[in-house]
Amino acid sequence: MRNSIVKTINTNSLHFSSSLRIGDTKYLTPLSIALAIQQEGAYFTREVQRRHTFMNYDFFTDPLPEHLADYQPNITRNNKGDIKVGHINVIGATASSTIHIGSIKHGDAVSRVKHIRHLLDTDEE
C-alpha cells in the first residue's frame, strides 16, 4: 500500500455525479443521466414538460455497447514510494467524471446526456 500525498488542489466545480478522490478506490461506478432542454423565449408549458421526459427517449434505456473482452496482460509493478503530487488546477468536472490520485481496482463510469433545442421560426419573431 502506498500513500497519496498532494500539496494543493484547486477545483472550481464538481457537478452531476463527479468526484474528487485521493487514495485507493476498490470500485468506482458513477452514473449521470441528464435531459437538457433549451427553448427560445424560455417559456415552458405543461405540454413541453409532458413531452420531454426520460421515458420518451430510448436513448436513456438502450443498452450500452459491450465492453471489450476481458484481457489479462502480463503486468510487472514496481511501486517505489508514495504517490506525490505538487499542484493540481482543475476548472471543472461533470457528468460522472472523476479526478483521482491513487489506484482504482475497477471503474465503470456512465454518462448519458440528451440536448434538445427548440428555436422559434423566423416568422414567429
Side-chain angles (χ1 to χ4, degrees):
M1 175 179 264
R2 298 185 294 168
N3 292 321
S4 297
I5 302 164
V6 180
K7 187 173 180 182
T8 60
I9 296 178
N10 296 319
T11 304
N12 289 347
S13 64
L14 295 171
H15 294 284
F16 308 122
S17 190
S18 295
S19 62
L20 168 63
R21 296 175 174 267
I22 299 173
D24 297 335
T25 301
K26 193 169 185 177
Y27 295 100
L28 183 65
T29 56
L31 168 67
S32 176
I33 59 172
L35 181 57
I37 302 171
Q38 289 180 308
Q39 182 170 318
E40 276 187 304
Y43 180 72
F44 291 95
T45 63
R46 293 266 182 229
E47 173 57 30
V48 171
Q49 292 173 353
R50 277 192 292 274
R51 191 175 29 175
H52 298 295
T53 65
F54 289 114
M55 296 178 298
N56 292 345
Y57 297 97
D58 293 337
F59 171 79
F60 294 108
T61 56
D62 285 344
L64 293 170
E66 290 295 318
H67 293 291
L68 297 174
D70 284 340
Y71 172 71
Q72 297 299 323
N74 251 340
I75 296 176
T76 303
R77 292 193 172 135
N78 189 1
N79 297 333
K80 293 183 179 180
D82 299 333
I83 297 171
K84 295 181 181 178
V85 178
H87 305 283
I88 299 174
N89 292 314
V90 178
I91 294 172
T94 190
S96 298
S97 58
T98 300
I99 301 164
H100 193 281
I101 301 164
S103 63
I104 298 174
K105 181 177 182 178
H106 176 82
D108 193 13
V110 175
S111 177
R112 293 184 183 207
V113 179
K114 176 76 173 174
H115 289 271
I116 299 170
R117 292 187 177 95
H118 292 281
L119 304 175
L120 294 174
D121 290 335
T122 54
D123 295 338
E124 293 179 29
E125 291 181 27

